[in-house]
Amino acid sequence: MLLNPKRIATLHSRVSILSLLRRHSTLPPNPNPTTPLTKPQLKALVINHYSRGKFSNLIQNVVASPPVLLLACQNLTPRSNDVNSLASPAVALRFSVEELGRELGENRFDVESCCVRMVPSRKKGESLVLPNLKLKVVIEAIRMVLEIVYDERLVTFAYGGRVGMGRHTAIRYLKNSVQNPNWWFKVTFDREKFEHKNVNKLCLIIEEKIKDTVLIGIVRKLFECEVLQIELGGCYLGRGFPQECGLSSILINVYFNGFDKEIQDLRIRTNQENPRFDSNEVLSGSSVFYKPVKIYAVRYLDEILVITSGSKMLTMDLKNQVMKFLEGKLELKVDRLKMAIHSATMEKIDFLGMELQAVQPSVLRPPMSEKAIRAQKKYLRQKEVKAIELRNARETNRKKLGLKILAHVFKKLKQSDEFKFDFHIENEVREIFRTWADEVVKEFLGSLEEQANWYRMLSVGDFLSLRHIRHQLPQELVDAYDHFQEQVDKHIKPVKARKALEEAERRVVEEEEQKYAERTVQELTRLCMKVDAPIELVRKAVKMAGFTNNMGRPRPIKLLIALEDTDIIKWYAGVGRRWLDFFCCCHNFKMVKTVVTYHLRFSCLLTLAEKHESTKLETIRHYTKDLKVSDFNGIEEVHFPAEREIKMMGDKNLSDPKPVDGALSLALIRLASDEPAYSCVAHFCDRKDTIVYRVRLLQNRLNVNPLDEKKWVPGMGAIHEGLNRKCLPLCSDHIHDLYMGTISLQDIDCTSFVDVD
């Protein structure tokens, strides 16, 4: 009987799911319902509710469970040292987990009552709806469940909102896997929020895998209350802004999963039509190079990049299929003007906040210049001279040691007839002289002139080599002489050494020629991906934030003068580290290092000088260039990255760093007020020793609309203006983490702001 391939794949998937069920069903349940579940236990709990190709009743049976809600609280906690105390006072002071679980299980949870509307300071501004901490816990629990359901079903080129699949992972894939790109295009959407039809489409996609009316109802209610808003084509997704809901990333991946599968099928069909051959199978020994047509795709949330190594007609057909699927099945509005096809070698394209271009391998790894070659030869000569000096010093020391030993032995023999030592040093002396002799022999054998001289002295002009003399000598003496000559020919004859040296030199020349030939062939037949930081946009952002003046020189930021010295340095350090972490995978990373090392560092020094009414030199003498400050105990701390640390930075990790947008556009100004103590607004922080800070946003200070690309930096997001001038009480630990970029405003309950005149 013949079986359909899709039917076979379905049977295999069912068998794998059943095996997972059997394996996870043997896991012990959580013994204590008041402690959070572990991730393997949560995965087992979700898979246990899988039957007939769907997950069922996940809200009532999984999300409503108190251990699952406690795990969501643990994920929302910004600092790891607060995790151990989650189960008792930190959560109980805010809401009851058991009561929340009963409300979810009985479908009595009111989403609208957990929403807070933030009114902007401007009259024409848009309001912002944020969830309180209770609703954030529910959203995080739903996100964890959806991640378990969908993460293994997403394609490999879908990045963002997934563990270990961040921006740097996508860039690493582009640099290492994309070969010979010819044409590419970026899918750009019109700046528009999800409409009712898109929400219905999303719910239908979820219902294909999950049978849970309560879950669908909560998702719809989140969209109705405007707590959950998905705006494609914007600049706020994956940036740590408070207006981004915790469910946005996973729901975008779920919504685009059908599109990703369509691209995956196109790639598979293209690979089947253009099989890959080994270079030896094409035409051995010829100059024919085979380049198969490839299709590459990378999607980070709503940013989509499609690359082809084929012709422009193939790319146009692919673009039409992509637009047809997005506008037809997903009902999205695509910006056709910005979705143009570009040459990968002639034009740069912006993707993930960086600039991509296809270049030859020599651009990424250029050969050594003549100046570098001269410097390398000079270094090798200096190294050789130092080695000779060290060897001569060792010989001098050994001679002195040998003379001391001989003098000591002669003195002992002269004083008495017998020869005694208090310590036995025969082995040590033997080892010293053996090492010395080995080095002398090695040095001798390494010199062809010495070998030729000694070989001439030992083998030429000896009367024992004359035939009429050899017959008159004893046979033992002749044999001994012949054996001696054989050893001389074997070890000292310079012809063999000269041939070995010439062979080594010839091998080095051949290797250099082969490398040059391979490099030349790669230059003509291969294209690589170069990733650059948009340095012009970085400089524009530096100027707009006030780090530099119109001449490009550092200047102070007077708004920060109200902060403590440590907070000023931490704010600059957080901005600098965000830039360094984000652009560390770029080819022109040195230019970003210059911006941080020079512009930000000296702007910080000038701000401190302006605050204390001192000169720049006095400030440098007090804080040093590394911007060292002392804590309450008098211990020096360094928050700003040192110059040596910046020089050693590079592409070392695979992470998903947040862009600098949130740190650059946010300033927290400390208030001098006699207000009563408030609780820290960080998630589940119960500290009362807080300080009230007022939020000051960059776009409101400059009176600039972030949507205006002429006045704002293109591609740079902004925190919603509804948080401008809001007052947030924060403890010392969390204000430190917020300044340094360890946490963002997503890790803070912004609905717990206080009203201070």
Side-chain angles (χ1 to χ4, degrees), residues 495-698:
V495 177
K496 185 176 181 181
R498 187 177 292 109
K499 288 183 178 180
L501 183 61
E502 293 175 354
E503 180 67 21
E505 293 177 353
R506 185 183 61 80
R507 194 180 302 111
V508 171
V509 173
E510 287 181 355
E511 290 178 357
E512 289 293 332
E513 292 178 353
Q514 184 177 1
K515 289 181 180 179
Y516 177 77
E518 292 177 355
R519 190 164 58 246
T520 305
V521 171
Q522 286 185 353
E523 286 292 308
L524 298 174
T525 61
R526 185 182 175 189
L527 292 174
C528 300
M529 190 72 68
K530 185 180 74 165
V531 181
D532 280 341
I535 198 64
E536 293 299 327
L537 298 182
V538 172
R539 289 171 179 164
K540 185 177 180 180
V542 166
K543 181 181 176 181
M544 186 180 66
F547 294 116
T548 59
N549 55 19
N550 293 330
M551 300 294 293
R553 297 176 180 175
R555 61 178 293 270
I557 299 179
K558 296 185 178 181
L559 178 67
L560 303 177
I561 293 178
L563 296 176
E564 297 289 337
D565 294 353
T566 306
D567 291 342
I568 293 174
I569 295 174
K570 287 179 181 178
W571 186 83
Y572 277 96
V575 174
R577 290 188 181 276
R578 284 278 187 95
W579 255 323
L580 293 173
D581 292 340
F582 189 79
F583 293 118
C584 68
C585 59
C586 296
H587 185 255
N588 60 345
F589 185 44
K590 289 183 179 180
M591 305 182 74
V592 181
K593 291 180 182 179
T594 303
V595 171
V596 176
T597 304
Y598 174 64
H599 295 94
L600 266 67
R601 187 187 303 276
F602 281 92
S603 176
C604 181
L605 289 169
L606 291 174
T607 303
L608 293 170
E610 183 83 10
K611 176 183 177 181
H612 297 288
E613 297 181 353
S614 60
T615 63
K616 183 176 70 173
L617 294 179
E618 292 174 350
T619 307
I620 292 176
R621 280 196 296 267
H622 184 270
Y623 294 100
T624 72
K625 281 190 176 182
D626 292 334
L627 294 169
K628 296 180 180 179
V629 290
S630 300
D631 60 2
F632 295 108
N633 299 324
I635 301 174
E636 285 189 345
E637 296 178 344
V638 179
H639 302 289
F640 199 92
E643 293 183 0
R644 182 177 180 85
E645 181 185 356
I646 293 176
K647 287 181 181 179
M648 299 300 292
M649 286 183 177
D651 188 5
K652 297 181 292 187
N653 54 356
L654 291 172
S655 59
D656 191 12
K658 297 290 189 299
V660 76
D661 308 359
L664 190 64
S665 60
L666 172 67
L668 296 172
I669 307 302
R670 180 174 179 174
L671 298 184
S673 61
D674 296 330
E675 296 292 330
Y678 299 98
S679 297
C680 181
V681 294
H683 294 164
F684 303 107
C685 180
D686 52 359
R687 291 182 58 175
K688 297 288 186 179
D689 53 336
T690 58
I691 299 174
V692 180
Y693 293 86
R694 187 183 297 277
V695 177
R696 297 294 302 274
L697 299 181
L698 180 63

Side-chain angles (χ1 to χ4, degrees), residues 402-582:
L403 291 175
K404 287 182 179 181
I405 293 173
L406 291 176
H408 181 70
V409 172
F410 179 74
K411 183 179 178 181
K412 287 291 185 180
L413 289 174
K414 190 175 181 180
Q415 290 177 355
S416 60
D417 296 335
E418 56 184 358
F419 184 72
K420 292 183 179 180
F421 273 122
D422 295 335
F423 301 97
H424 296 283
I425 62 171
E426 294 89 345
N427 295 332
E428 287 79 1
V429 173
R430 187 179 295 110
E431 180 65 23
I432 290 173
F433 281 97
R434 186 186 64 80
T435 306
W436 190 7
D438 290 343
E439 291 183 359
V440 171
V441 173
K442 185 177 180 181
E443 181 183 359
F444 166 74
L445 293 177
S447 175
L448 291 177
E449 295 180 359
E450 291 286 342
Q451 289 190 46
N453 187 22
W454 278 97
Y455 182 76
R456 193 182 307 110
M457 294 172 59
L458 294 175
S459 61
V460 178
D462 200 324
F463 69 96
L464 291 177
S465 60
L466 300 176
R467 183 177 301 176
H468 62 279
I469 298 295
R470 292 168 62 91
H471 294 302
Q472 302 177 18
L473 297 176
Q475 187 64 31
E476 296 178 356
L477 178 60
V478 174
D479 294 341
Y481 173 76
D482 293 341
H483 179 69
F484 174 74
Q485 288 297 326
E486 289 178 1
Q487 297 299 319
V488 169
D489 293 340
K490 180 179 180 182
H491 297 287
I492 306 181
K493 192 172 183 180
V495 177
K496 185 176 181 181
R498 187 177 292 109
K499 288 183 178 180
L501 183 61
E502 293 175 354
E503 180 67 21
E505 293 177 353
R506 185 183 61 80
R507 194 180 302 111
V508 171
V509 173
E510 287 181 355
E511 290 178 357
E512 289 293 332
E513 292 178 353
Q514 184 177 1
K515 289 181 180 179
Y516 177 77
E518 292 177 355
R519 190 164 58 246
T520 305
V521 171
Q522 286 185 353
E523 286 292 308
L524 298 174
T525 61
R526 185 182 175 189
L527 292 174
C528 300
M529 190 72 68
K530 185 180 74 165
V531 181
D532 280 341
I535 198 64
E536 293 299 327
L537 298 182
V538 172
R539 289 171 179 164
K540 185 177 180 180
V542 166
K543 181 181 176 181
M544 186 180 66
F547 294 116
T548 59
N549 55 19
N550 293 330
M551 300 294 293
R553 297 176 180 175
R555 61 178 293 270
I557 299 179
K558 296 185 178 181
L559 178 67
L560 303 177
I561 293 178
L563 296 176
E564 297 289 337
D565 294 353
T566 306
D567 291 342
I568 293 174
I569 295 174
K570 287 179 181 178
W571 186 83
Y572 277 96
V575 174
R577 290 188 181 276
R578 284 278 187 95
W579 255 323
L580 293 173
D581 292 340
F582 189 79

Side-chain angles (χ1 to χ4, degrees), residues 109-129:
F109 181 69
D110 188 5
V111 175
E112 191 172 359
S113 63
C114 298
C115 302
V116 178
R117 186 172 294 275
M118 314 284 285
V119 180
S121 56
R122 295 190 307 162
K123 294 182 179 180
K124 296 182 180 180
E126 296 181 358
S127 60
L128 172 65
V129 180

Side-chain angles (χ1 to χ4, degrees), residues 140-267:
E140 176 63 20
I142 295 175
R143 186 202 65 80
M144 293 188 303
V145 172
L146 292 179
E147 183 181 14
I148 294 174
V149 173
Y150 285 101
D151 190 64
E152 295 181 356
R153 291 172 171 81
L154 300 178
V155 297
T156 56
F157 58 83
Y159 298 88
R162 304 174 64 185
V163 178
M165 301 284 283
R167 287 182 175 86
H168 284 183
T169 317
I171 294 298
R172 184 73 60 88
Y173 167 76
L174 289 173
K175 292 197 293 186
N176 295 342
S177 300
V178 177
Q179 298 180 1
N180 302 315
N182 292 333
W183 304 94
W184 53 25
F185 62 89
K186 179 183 175 183
V187 179
T188 305
F189 298 98
D190 291 336
R191 196 181 184 101
E192 190 175 10
K193 297 178 182 179
F194 258 33
E195 300 177 354
H196 184 68
K197 60 180 181 180
N198 302 118
V199 177
N200 292 335
K201 182 70 176 179
L202 175 63
C203 294
L204 290 176
I205 295 174
I206 295 176
E207 288 175 350
E208 293 177 0
K209 266 305 172 196
I210 300 175
K211 184 180 179 181
D212 192 344
T213 56
V214 180
L215 174 62
I216 301 299
I218 291 177
V219 172
R220 289 183 180 275
K221 194 65 178 178
L222 290 174
F223 275 103
E224 291 176 5
C225 297
E226 298 181 356
V227 173
L228 173 58
Q229 292 185 1
I230 298 178
E231 182 182 355
L232 302 181
C235 296
Y236 74 94
L237 293 175
R239 299 171 187 257
F241 293 160
Q243 61 261 35
E244 180 185 0
C245 180
L247 282 176
S248 299
S249 299
I250 184 65
L251 291 182
I252 288 176
N253 287 332
V254 172
Y255 194 81
F256 280 95
N257 192 32
F259 169 77
D260 297 339
K261 296 290 181 63
E262 184 71 16
I263 295 293
Q264 185 76 355
D265 294 340
L266 286 174
R267 294 179 61 187

Side-chain angles (χ1 to χ4, degrees), residues 159-387:
Y159 298 88
R162 304 174 64 185
V163 178
M165 301 284 283
R167 287 182 175 86
H168 284 183
T169 317
I171 294 298
R172 184 73 60 88
Y173 167 76
L174 289 173
K175 292 197 293 186
N176 295 342
S177 300
V178 177
Q179 298 180 1
N180 302 315
N182 292 333
W183 304 94
W184 53 25
F185 62 89
K186 179 183 175 183
V187 179
T188 305
F189 298 98
D190 291 336
R191 196 181 184 101
E192 190 175 10
K193 297 178 182 179
F194 258 33
E195 300 177 354
H196 184 68
K197 60 180 181 180
N198 302 118
V199 177
N200 292 335
K201 182 70 176 179
L202 175 63
C203 294
L204 290 176
I205 295 174
I206 295 176
E207 288 175 350
E208 293 177 0
K209 266 305 172 196
I210 300 175
K211 184 180 179 181
D212 192 344
T213 56
V214 180
L215 174 62
I216 301 299
I218 291 177
V219 172
R220 289 183 180 275
K221 194 65 178 178
L222 290 174
F223 275 103
E224 291 176 5
C225 297
E226 298 181 356
V227 173
L228 173 58
Q229 292 185 1
I230 298 178
E231 182 182 355
L232 302 181
C235 296
Y236 74 94
L237 293 175
R239 299 171 187 257
F241 293 160
Q243 61 261 35
E244 180 185 0
C245 180
L247 282 176
S248 299
S249 299
I250 184 65
L251 291 182
I252 288 176
N253 287 332
V254 172
Y255 194 81
F256 280 95
N257 192 32
F259 169 77
D260 297 339
K261 296 290 181 63
E262 184 71 16
I263 295 293
Q264 185 76 355
D265 294 340
L266 286 174
R267 294 179 61 187
I268 293 174
R269 288 200 299 268
T270 304
N271 292 338
Q272 291 175 352
E273 295 173 359
N274 301 273
R276 186 174 183 178
F277 296 100
D278 189 6
S279 58
N280 297 325
E281 297 179 3
V282 182
L283 281 177
S284 179
S286 68
S287 58
V288 177
F289 298 95
Y290 176 69
K291 294 182 181 180
V293 178
K294 292 286 184 180
I295 296 177
Y296 305 94
V298 175
R299 182 182 63 81
Y300 183 88
L301 298 180
D302 63 333
E303 295 187 58
I304 305 172
L305 178 65
V306 182
I307 309 171
T308 66
S309 61
S311 62
K312 189 173 183 180
M313 294 300 297
L314 171 68
T315 311
M316 292 179 63
D317 294 340
L318 181 61
K319 173 190 169 184
N320 294 332
Q321 295 181 43
V322 168
M323 292 177 60
K324 182 179 179 181
F325 190 93
L326 292 174
E327 294 179 342
K329 293 189 177 181
L330 296 186
E331 300 179 357
L332 299 175
K333 294 182 180 179
V334 180
D335 191 345
R336 293 175 176 266
L337 294 178
K338 294 183 179 180
M339 194 176 165
I341 298 176
H342 300 275
S343 172
T345 56
M346 302 299 293
E347 300 175 83
K348 293 183 179 180
I349 192 168
D350 296 330
F351 185 65
L352 299 181
M354 305 175 197
E355 295 177 349
L356 308 180
Q357 188 177 12
V359 296
Q360 296 175 342
S362 61
V363 177
L364 300 179
R365 291 173 292 274
M368 294 180 63
S369 61
E370 294 182 0
K371 183 178 180 181
I373 293 173
R374 289 196 301 269
Q376 186 183 32
K377 290 181 178 179
K378 181 179 178 181
Y379 169 74
L380 293 177
R381 285 196 302 269
Q382 292 176 351
K383 188 177 179 181
E384 185 178 356
V385 170
K386 288 182 179 180

